[in-house]
Amino acid sequence: MKLFDFSNRRAIEDFRAYAAERAIAFSNLEATNENARQLSILDPLVTEKRFAYVGEPDHFIHEKYAYRLLMLKYLAGRGFTHLGEEIGASDGMRIDRFLGTGDESHVERIAIYGYSGTIRTDRDDTPTGILRDSFGAAYPTAQFAAEQKRFAHGIREIGAHLESAESGSRLHFFGFDIDALPGGGYADLAEILESVPADATIDRIRNALQRVKGETIDAEIARLDEALRLIEADSNRLAEILGADRVSAIRHCATCIRDSFNYVRITYPAKSWDALNPGMAFRERYMQRQLDHRIGQMRANEKLALMSHNMHLCRAPDAVLRSDAAAGPGGKTDPPLGAWLSARYPAEVFSIWMIVGRGRDSQPFPSLSNNIREKAGTLNAILGGIGDCFILPIDGADSRARLLAENIEIMHDANGGVRTAIAMQADAIFFIREVTPLRA
């Protein structure tokens, strides 16, 4: 492929002219309702699409939440009522219950927000390797929890408006990632089985799903394997007692717990970034199974939006000529979630990438920087010369936008870069020049 020639000033000037004409600027990113009304410019790109990718370059910045809420407000109004976030399945279930009921107790029991009530106390499953800072004092747990709770309330407001409209639609939320500290799924299973009457088949499965004090992680995985074997062997009898939907929920919860512990076993001892790759490949395959499960629950006319890192939602990994990441989505062996879904549903995916210019974030790893630098010659820097906060549709038919079809460096978190043609990965760009750390 041809590398972008930075001496080609004409391409940059043409792109600036294109952006001046086509970009929609936002003076107040927090003004969700007002801003959403301006997003009708995306309608030609979203019409007839069943899936939407809402990508972000950095998990640890405050501004991503207002951007997400703006995009979800717009997408919900276009029929995207299934919302998936890059968090654990059990946490996603609790957020969905909060959206449906408004009961705050559900958001107080979310592991990724710092809740530890379902974590084992007889065994330490936290990372011992390079990921140990993900659970250490440097991790911005309080700030992340506060941001996420405000975000959940923002989604509920969007859902309330949707339900009051003529369509009467409800938002459905799910997490498609590994449970980083597994345990919440056991509480979910207990709730599902709580009112089930005594039965020999049920009791065998219930016993197999009970944690055993002092068991090793390998023994726990083996026990969950046996529980899943029993569920499959007795599925007809279980369906008679519980109904097919409840059996499916039990199977799904048990599978998520088992697979999360498998990820922990593979990944948490890794001593280097490169050693994380087998676990990252396992994680991406898990995400794909989670999404496959959700799509199987949806009606054919329902639409789904995914929130995740840009590189998880990368549509064309073969078009990424270079990445600075030693370990990333797919672990260098498996396609990222975005490519996997786009291959299954070609021409049915709308994608937007958030790109930022400079500022600071809250990432916890001491070997990485919290300072986000605006690197000259990158797409980030070029966008920073256009405006402070705007959305820009990518129109491949407009020759002035040809810069976006060329391979150019795009900076992500920890000042890591990828070289790719953004037009291959996204249908629109959401740019914010100045970003700040997470806020409590």
Side-chain angles (χ1 to χ4, degrees):
M1 288 186 175
K2 174 186 172 186
L3 295 177
F4 177 71
D5 180 359
F6 289 102
S7 66
N8 188 351
R9 299 298 175 188
R10 178 63 182 273
I12 295 176
E13 291 305 316
D14 284 351
F15 174 65
R16 286 175 177 155
Y18 168 80
E21 179 182 311
R22 303 289 292 275
I24 300 294
F26 304 108
S27 59
N28 177 10
L29 188 55
E30 306 285 339
T32 302
N33 292 335
E34 176 185 339
N35 294 340
R37 286 192 285 271
Q38 300 187 70
L39 294 186
S40 59
I41 59 163
L42 299 178
D43 286 350
L45 301 173
V46 172
T47 301
E48 305 300 325
K49 299 296 193 295
R50 191 183 180 198
F51 304 99
Y53 297 167
V54 182
E56 63 199 44
D58 190 327
H59 294 319
F60 297 98
I61 52 176
H62 167 73
E63 288 73 17
K64 78 171 191 180
Y65 291 101
Y67 151 70
R68 279 179 171 187
L69 286 174
L70 171 56
M71 292 309 305
L72 294 182
K73 173 77 173 179
Y74 166 76
L75 289 168
R78 270 68 179 175
F80 291 81
T81 56
H82 289 259
L83 312 179
E85 185 181 4
E86 187 188 330
I87 62 172
S90 179
D91 287 348
M93 288 174 63
R94 285 166 168 71
I95 294 172
D96 186 63
R97 289 172 190 151
F98 166 70
L99 296 183
T101 66
D103 184 347
E104 293 280 349
S105 68
H106 294 302
V107 293
E108 297 301 328
R109 297 189 303 117
I110 294 177
I112 202 169
Y113 297 0
Y115 177 70
S116 59
T118 57
I119 296 172
R120 297 192 75 118
T121 58
D122 59 341
R123 190 182 75 219
D124 184 3
D125 288 325
T126 56
T128 57
I130 197 165
L131 293 179
R132 60 187 177 276
D133 291 304
S134 296
F135 298 90
Y139 194 85
T141 302
Q143 296 91 331
F144 189 68
E147 295 275 21
Q148 287 283 134
K149 288 176 182 177
R150 289 192 290 268
F151 179 56
H153 279 272
I155 295 175
R156 190 161 193 274
E157 289 180 14
I158 293 171
H161 177 78
L162 200 64
E163 290 179 40
S164 67
E166 290 183 8
S167 67
S169 300
R170 177 197 183 286
L171 291 181
H172 304 274
F173 192 94
F174 68 103
F176 56 84
D177 202 356
I178 294 289
D179 286 301
L181 281 179
Y186 283 113
D188 300 330
L189 286 167
E191 291 176 15
I192 295 170
L193 293 168
E194 185 176 19
S195 60
V196 177
D199 178 271
T201 301
I202 297 290
D203 290 344
R204 282 197 303 274
I205 293 169
R206 199 195 307 264
N207 288 338
L209 291 170
Q210 292 292 324
R211 285 191 271 207
V212 177
K213 185 174 178 59
E215 66 186 340
T216 65
I217 192 168
D218 288 335
E220 185 161 14
I221 292 167
R223 174 176 54 74
L224 290 164
D225 277 334
E226 175 61 14
L228 286 163
R229 188 193 67 77
L230 290 172
I231 291 169
E232 292 307 313
D234 295 320
S235 58
N236 291 335
R237 171 66 177 154
L238 289 172
E240 291 175 5
I241 302 169
L242 304 174
D245 288 346
R246 193 182 287 189
V247 174
S248 176
I250 294 169
R251 181 189 297 111
H252 184 62
C253 283
T255 301
C256 290
I257 302 169
R258 180 202 60 188
D259 289 352
S260 292
F261 276 119
N262 261 319
Y263 172 79
V264 168
R265 180 180 58 82
I266 296 167
T267 309
Y268 285 8
K271 302 299 183 186
S272 68
W273 293 110
D274 191 61
L276 292 176
N277 281 311
M280 295 297 283
F282 179 92
R283 178 187 177 200
E284 211 71 17
R285 292 192 297 270
Y286 171 91
M287 288 181 169
Q288 293 163 12
R289 292 192 298 272
Q290 289 290 88
L291 192 51
D292 195 43
H293 175 79
R294 171 58 58 156
I295 293 170
Q297 294 179 315
M298 293 166 53
R299 293 190 291 268
N301 63 339
E302 291 184 310
K303 301 179 182 181
L304 181 152
L306 296 176
M307 296 167 278
S308 190
H309 194 281
N310 288 340
M311 297 312 294
H312 279 299
L313 299 178
C314 174
R315 288 193 304 203
D318 291 344
V320 177
L321 294 191
R322 194 205 77 233
S323 172
D324 291 339
K332 301 183 179 179
T333 60
D334 288 72
L337 180 66
W340 173 83
L341 185 64
S342 294
R344 290 186 64 186
Y345 298 94
E348 292 189 56
V349 176
F350 164 78
S351 177
I352 183 166
W353 273 24
M354 179 187 185
I355 297 177
V356 305
R358 63 195 181 197
R360 288 182 59 82
D361 70 7
S362 301
Q363 71 81 22
F365 297 102
S367 61
L368 304 176
S369 176
N370 295 109
N371 291 312
I372 301 168
R373 300 187 299 272
E374 191 171 73
K375 183 179 177 182
T378 61
L379 181 59
N380 311 60
I382 293 170
L383 293 169
I386 292 168
D388 291 330
C389 182
F390 58 86
I391 192 168
L392 179 65
I394 298 174
D395 184 355
D398 192 323
S399 63
R400 296 174 301 168
R402 64 188 180 277
L403 173 71
L404 304 181
E406 298 284 348
N407 294 307
I408 184 169
E409 189 170 20
I410 302 171
M411 304 305 291
H412 282 144
D413 40 4
N415 298 304
V418 297
R419 182 176 288 278
T420 190
I422 186 69
M424 296 285 289
Q425 312 297 352
D427 302 296
I429 296 167
F430 198 104
F431 180 73
I432 302 175
R433 191 174 193 197
E434 295 277 351
V435 293
T436 57
L438 301 175
R439 302 176 191 177

